[in-house]
Amino acid sequence: MDGPEPSVRALRALVAASPALDPATEIVVCIPCFRRPQYLRRTLESLAAQRTSRRFAVVMVENDASKSESVPVAVEYLASGKFTGLCVIEPRQGNCHAINAAFETALQMFPAATSFLMIDDDEIASRDWLEQMVRTANATGADIVGGPVFPEFDDARKRGLRRHPAFAPAYDASGPVPVIYGCGNCLIRRSVFARLGMPAFDLRFNFLGGGDTDFFYRCRRLGLRFHWVNEAVISETVPQGRTSLKWLVMRGLRIGAINYHVQRKATPTAWLRAKLTAKLLAALPLSLVYAVCAVLTERERTIAMHPVTVAIGSALAAFGLEPQPYKASKIVS
C-alpha cells in the first residue's frame, strides 16, 4: 500500500498521546476536528462510555493549526486514561486533508489494526455503537460497514427536517447494501486502504466535500462489500444555522456538484463527458416533477425543493460553478 510522502508526514505535528500506545491495538476510531471543541468533548465522552470489552484507540486530527482549539480537549481526555490514542495537527486545511491525515496516522501508528472507524467531532455515539459495528464486520466479512446518523436540532421547531434528504439516513434496515455515502458513521477494513492506495480521499473534493462519497463509489467499482447496521446509531448536533433556507439550498447545490464530479470520474472520454452533461441538463425539468410530487406528500417546502437544487447544482458544476463550504473562511465556529 502506498503511504503518504515523508514530506507530508513531516508537516503533521504530534501534539498529544497516551503514555503508552499499544501497537497491537486492532480497532482505531478516527476523528477529524475543526473549531468545535465544545462538541468534541461530547464526542469523546460518548466513546469513553462505550459498552464493549474490545480495546480500541482514538486518533484525533486538528485541522486548524492557527487556533488548535481541539488540542486542549484531546490532551485532557488522553491524560485521563479513559481511552488510549493520540492527536496530531494537519496544517493543510480542508476536509479531505483532515480525513486522510486521520486514516494515514492510524494505519502507521497501529500496524496491527484491522478496523478503522470514523465519527465526526459534532457527533455522539450510542453506547453500543463500536461493538455493533465491529461485531457486524466480523460476522459478515463486509469490507465497509455503515450506520445511521440522526440529527438533533438546537431548535425544536425544526424537527420536521429529520425527513429532509440532507439529514435522513440512507437506509432504515440492517443488511447488505450496494454502497454507503458518508463517513460520519463507518467502519473500513485495513485491506480497503491497501486496495485503493493513498491518499484515500481525493483532494479534488477538499473544499467542496463529497470525498467520502467518491471514496465509497470507488470501493463499489472494485467490488468491495458494504453492510448497514441500523442499530449502530450516532446522533449529530445540528446548529440553527444549518436549518436555514439558505443553508439547505446550498447543501442541495453541493450534493448536485458532488454527484457530477463522482460521475465525471467514471467518464474518461470527451464523448462520455458530453453525454453526462446532457443527462444532467435533462434532469432539470424532471426534478420539477419530483418537486411537485414532494409538495403533495411533504409539508416542509425545503424537502420539496431539494430535487431541484440538486439538479441545478449538478448542471452548474458541469460548467465549473460550485460551492466550497469547507474553506476555513466560510466555516463559522
Side-chain angles (χ1 to χ4, degrees):
M1 177 180 62
D2 294 332
E5 294 292 333
S7 59
V8 172
R9 291 197 299 266
L11 287 172
R12 298 171 189 153
L14 176 64
V15 292
S18 300
L21 293 177
D22 184 357
T25 300
E26 296 183 356
I27 302 166
V28 184
V29 180
C30 297
I31 313 175
C33 308
F34 189 81
R35 296 182 182 175
R36 293 188 285 215
Q38 70 279 20
Y39 289 150
L40 175 62
R41 186 177 298 278
R42 298 167 64 188
T43 303
L44 297 178
E45 198 60 44
S46 75
L47 293 179
Q50 289 296 294
R51 288 188 292 215
T52 183
S53 60
R54 304 177 194 271
R55 293 188 305 117
F56 66 92
V58 177
V59 170
M60 290 164 274
V61 174
E62 170 61 81
N63 197 217
D64 185 7
S66 60
K67 294 184 178 180
S68 298
E69 295 173 309
S70 305
V71 171
V73 180
V75 170
E76 174 190 338
Y77 273 82
L78 292 173
S80 73
K82 292 182 178 180
F83 45 71
T84 62
L86 54 91
C87 178
V88 301
I89 293 177
E90 170 54 76
R92 299 170 303 164
Q93 201 270 313
N95 178 264
C96 291
H97 277 312
I99 296 172
N100 284 336
F103 285 133
E104 289 168 6
T105 300
L107 288 162
Q108 178 188 6
M109 298 298 293
F110 299 96
T114 56
S115 296
F116 299 85
L117 296 93
M118 186 172 144
I119 183 171
D120 286 332
D121 65 343
D122 60 349
E123 295 179 339
I124 300 172
S126 56
R127 295 286 301 278
D128 298 313
W129 169 69
L130 185 140
E131 180 64 29
Q132 292 274 5
M133 295 289 277
V134 176
R135 183 190 301 169
T136 298
N138 291 341
T140 64
D143 301 292
I144 297 164
V145 177
V149 177
F150 291 113
E152 297 294 336
F153 296 99
D154 282 351
D155 186 346
R157 295 170 297 177
K158 299 292 187 176
R159 288 176 181 168
L161 290 174
R162 289 176 184 267
R163 302 185 311 278
H164 194 287
F167 302 114
Y171 307 102
D172 58 10
S174 298
V177 292
V179 71
I180 67 171
Y181 302 94
C183 62
N185 183 359
C186 72
L187 178 153
I188 304 172
R189 291 295 200 180
R190 176 180 285 269
S191 57
V192 173
F193 297 107
R195 291 282 303 275
L196 269 74
M198 292 295 179
F201 280 37
D202 190 335
L203 295 177
R204 285 175 286 186
F205 293 88
N206 199 39
F207 294 120
L208 171 64
D212 46 3
T213 302
D214 171 70
F215 175 82
F216 292 129
Y217 267 90
R218 284 155 49 210
C219 291
R220 181 184 181 182
R221 288 195 290 270
L222 288 174
L224 301 183
R225 292 184 296 158
F226 295 81
H227 202 94
W228 186 262
V229 191
N230 215 46
E231 298 77 20
V233 173
I234 280 178
S235 61
E236 174 188 25
T237 304
V238 181
Q240 191 169 358
R242 290 190 178 186
T243 60
S244 67
L245 177 61
K246 178 182 177 182
W247 189 91
L248 291 168
V249 168
M250 293 302 295
R251 174 78 170 194
L253 294 175
R254 183 169 73 88
I255 291 173
I258 291 168
N259 291 344
Y260 166 74
H261 285 292
V262 169
Q263 293 178 73
R264 191 188 183 289
K265 288 182 70 174
T267 56
T269 67
W271 167 242
L272 289 174
R273 289 194 292 271
K275 285 181 65 177
L276 173 61
T277 301
K279 183 181 79 170
L280 295 176
L281 292 175
L284 283 169
L286 187 60
S287 70
L288 295 173
V289 176
Y290 291 143
V292 170
C293 293
V295 166
L296 299 176
T297 58
E298 298 284 353
R299 285 182 289 179
E300 278 285 347
R301 59 176 181 166
T302 53
I303 296 177
M305 67 187 294
H306 184 73
V308 178
T309 57
V310 171
I312 293 172
S314 294
L316 290 175
F319 294 99
L321 301 172
E322 60 192 37
Q324 292 192 328
Y326 287 102
K327 279 193 172 180
S329 61
K330 298 184 179 180
I331 298 177
V332 178
S333 301

